[in-house]
Amino acid sequence: MILDTPPPVTRPAPHANAIAYVIRRGDTADQLSRKYLVEGRDWRALLKLARVQNPRRLPTGRQLLIPRSWLRYRIEPARLASYRGKVAITANGREASAVIGASIDEGMFIATAANSFATLILADQSRIVLPSQSRVRVRELRRILLTNAIDYRLEITSGRLETKVQPLEGPSGRYRIETPVSMTAVRGTEFRVSFAAGTAITEVLSGHVLVTDSDGQTRALALDPGIGAARDGDGAVRTEPLLPAPALEDPGAVQLDDNVAFRAAPTPGAARYRLVIASDAGFIDNNVEQISEDGRFTFTDIPNGNQFARISAIAPSGVEGFAQSYGFKRRLASLHASVDMADDGYRFRWWGSGNGTRRYRFQLLSDTPEAPPIVDRVGLEQDSLTLHRLTPGVYHWRVGLLQIETDDTVETWTNPEKLTIAGPSARRKADR
C-alpha cells in the first residue's frame, strides 16, 4: 500500500560538511592546527573561524565549525568476516579472490556472484552484508582525529546491501550509503538499501534514516521504522509501510531429505518471498538464498548441523518487508523406496543418503496402514528384500531407517505405500 501522506520532509543540517568543536581550556590555535589540521591549513585559519586575533588565547566554550576537508583523519579498514560462493575484491583495477579476514580499504570494490554472499565488519563493529549479485564501492572509512568520530561512506552500484549500524557517538559522526540516485544517512539503525533499473530502495527496520538525492543535500526525506522508500532518477519518491514478516510452516522439523524445503504462510500484499539460510543466528555467515513467488523453497547441498532460516515478503513495488528468523536442524538421512514384480515374488528396494551406519527395517502390513505388521524384518544392512508367495489381497508396506553417527542418531520411515495383488485369473498389478 502506498502511503497517501509521505513522511515529513526535512533539510540536512546546515553544517553537514563541518565539524563542531567547542574550545577547551588550554587550547591554542597552534596546538590544534598541528595536531588536527591538514597541510595547507594552519593556526591562522582557526583564528579566523574563532573570530579572534591572539593565537595563544582562544575563548573557552566558543564553538568552531571547522570544514571537514580541513581535518586530519586516519583510515580504519573493514575486514571480510565471512563469504560464500564467488566474491571478488578489486583494488586499483586488480581483482583478487576473497580471503576470510582480508582488509577492505578505501577505494576497493566488493562484488558477489549469483548465490554468493559477503559480510564486512567495520572498525566500529557495524555490519554490512552483500547478498547475491551485488556490487559495492568503499568510498570512505575514516575516523576524524579531532572528535574521534567516524566518517563512513559506501556506494551501491548494483544489487543490495543490508547493514546494522552501531549508534554514532557525538553529532559529528557520519554513516552514509549512496546509490547513483540517492544517499541514505543514519546514526544507528538497521536498514537495507538496493539499486536496480535506476531505482534506489531504502527499507528501515529499526531506528531512523534520512534519504536525500545523490548529492546528499536536496529533497531530504526522514524515514521512520517500518517504512520503505523508492526513489528514481527523476527524484520521484514513493513510500509505503513494510510488509509484516511471514511465518514458515513447521519450521522446527528436522530436515532429513536430500533437499531442504520450506513453505511460507501466505502474506497479504506479498508478490514474492525471500528466504536466506545461514549458519549463525546473526546472519553473518549466509549460505544461500532464494526468491519464490508462491512461498515454496527448495535448497540443495545444505550441510548438516544447526542452521537458521530468515523469511521476508516483497511487495509488488519491490520494497522488502520485515524478516523473521527460525532455527532448524539439518541432518541428511534421506530414504526412498520402491517395489517391483520379480520372477519369484515381489522385490522391495530402498536407497538414500546420509553419514554413519545405516540399518533398515521393513514392514508389510495388511489392508490398512494402521494394521499390525505381518512381516517385520529389523537390522537389515542390504538395500532390498524379496517376498515370496504373497497371497492376493491389499497390503501396505514401509521402510524404516536407523542412522547412527558419532554425535547423533536419526530414525525415519517412508510413508506407507499400497500394494494390491490380484488373483491368478486377473492381471497382477502393483498399485502404490
Side-chain angles (χ1 to χ4, degrees):
M1 177 182 68
I2 303 300
L3 289 180
D4 295 329
T5 304
V9 175
T10 66
R11 294 295 176 189
H15 307 297
N17 291 317
I19 296 289
Y21 178 75
V22 178
I23 297 173
R24 302 172 182 174
R25 183 180 300 275
D27 282 345
T28 68
D30 181 63
Q31 170 252 333
L32 290 175
S33 63
R34 284 188 290 107
K35 290 183 65 174
Y36 301 117
L37 298 191
V38 298
E39 292 185 12
R41 298 292 178 181
D42 58 16
W43 56 271
R44 298 178 186 85
L46 286 181
L47 288 181
K48 187 175 181 181
L49 287 178
R51 301 185 301 279
V52 298
Q53 294 182 352
N54 188 342
R56 298 181 182 276
R57 298 189 63 179
L58 295 178
T60 301
R62 180 171 294 180
Q63 178 177 275
L64 302 180
L65 292 176
I66 307 174
R68 289 177 183 267
S69 60
W70 291 16
L71 294 171
R72 295 172 58 191
Y73 57 86
R74 67 173 179 269
I75 296 176
E76 295 185 334
R79 63 181 175 87
L80 183 62
S82 67
Y83 77 94
R84 292 294 174 98
K86 184 179 180 181
V87 175
I89 300 175
T90 304
N92 299 319
R94 301 181 62 180
E95 183 176 311
S97 299
V99 177
I100 297 295
S103 179
I104 307 299
D105 294 306
E106 289 187 357
M108 287 186 172
F109 289 86
I110 304 98
T112 57
N115 209 23
S116 302
F117 302 86
T119 299
L120 308 182
I121 301 297
L122 306 186
D124 73 337
Q125 299 307 303
S126 293
R127 183 185 72 201
I128 294 173
V129 177
L130 277 70
S132 301
Q133 297 178 315
S134 298
R135 189 170 188 264
V136 168
R137 182 178 184 180
V138 179
R139 289 287 192 176
E140 296 175 3
L141 292 175
R142 302 176 179 181
R143 188 171 293 274
I144 305 298
L145 299 185
L146 177 65
T147 59
N148 201 40
I150 67 165
D151 199 351
Y152 294 164
R153 183 162 64 102
L154 302 115
E155 179 186 5
I156 303 173
T157 58
S158 63
R160 298 186 298 129
L161 180 151
E162 303 172 5
T163 185
K164 187 171 185 178
V165 182
Q166 293 295 324
L168 302 185
E169 297 181 0
S172 57
R174 294 197 303 186
Y175 187 108
R176 296 165 293 163
I177 306 296
E178 296 178 348
T179 73
V181 299
S182 70
M183 178 181 290
T184 302
V186 299
R187 295 198 55 80
T189 185
E190 187 171 1
F191 68 104
R192 300 182 294 249
V193 179
S194 63
F195 179 73
T199 298
I201 294 176
T202 300
E203 300 139 359
V204 185
L205 304 178
S206 65
H208 301 268
V209 306
L210 187 68
V211 181
T212 71
D213 283 349
S214 56
D215 60 9
Q217 298 294 320
T218 58
R219 288 190 282 190
L221 187 65
L223 297 182
D224 293 327
I227 297 296
R231 181 187 292 268
D232 60 27
D234 295 329
V237 179
R238 305 182 310 275
T239 61
E240 61 185 272
L242 302 186
L243 292 174
L248 287 179
E249 298 180 358
D250 196 17
V254 180
Q255 295 278 349
L256 303 175
D257 292 338
D258 296 303
N259 298 324
V260 169
F262 289 103
R263 182 176 181 179
T267 298
R272 301 185 302 281
Y273 301 84
R274 186 192 308 274
L275 193 142
V276 180
I277 292 179
S279 59
D280 67 300
F283 287 83
I284 294 176
D285 190 14
N286 293 341
N287 292 324
V288 67
E289 74 172 359
Q290 279 185 16
I291 293 180
S292 166
E293 293 186 357
D294 61 2
R296 298 174 184 268
F297 301 88
T298 302
F299 300 91
T300 61
D301 301 324
I302 302 298
N304 284 345
N306 295 323
Q307 306 281 347
F308 298 87
R310 186 179 67 194
I311 182 73
S312 57
I314 303 173
S317 63
V319 173
E320 186 171 338
F322 287 103
Q324 185 163 210
S325 300
Y326 299 87
F328 71 94
K329 185 175 183 179
R330 167 59 165 162
R331 180 63 67 189
L332 179 58
S334 64
L335 182 62
H336 312 280
S338 67
V339 59
D340 299 299
M341 291 184 61
D343 293 339
D344 54 350
Y346 287 85
R347 182 178 61 183
F348 300 86
R349 299 185 301 113
W350 47 86
W351 64 94
S353 299
N355 298 321
T357 302
R358 291 167 63 95
R359 295 290 183 266
Y360 303 98
R361 181 176 182 178
F362 175 84
Q363 289 184 340
L364 182 70
L365 316 168
S366 58
D367 55 345
T368 65
E370 296 79 20
I374 54 179
V375 175
D376 194 353
R377 305 283 178 88
V378 299
L380 301 175
E381 298 184 22
Q382 69 272 21
D383 60 3
S384 65
L385 175 69
T386 301
L387 296 181
H388 308 281
R389 295 183 295 279
L390 288 176
T391 59
V394 176
Y395 301 88
H396 290 84
W397 62 277
R398 64 178 187 165
V399 178
L401 166 67
L402 182 66
Q403 181 172 290
I404 304 171
E405 301 182 53
T406 303
D407 58 347
D408 200 8
T409 298
V410 174
E411 183 175 1
T412 185
W413 288 86
T414 62
N415 293 324
E417 300 282 351
K418 185 178 181 181
L419 172 66
T420 301
I421 301 179
S425 60
R427 180 181 179 182
R428 294 186 178 185
K429 63 180 178 178
D431 180 8
R432 290 189 295 159

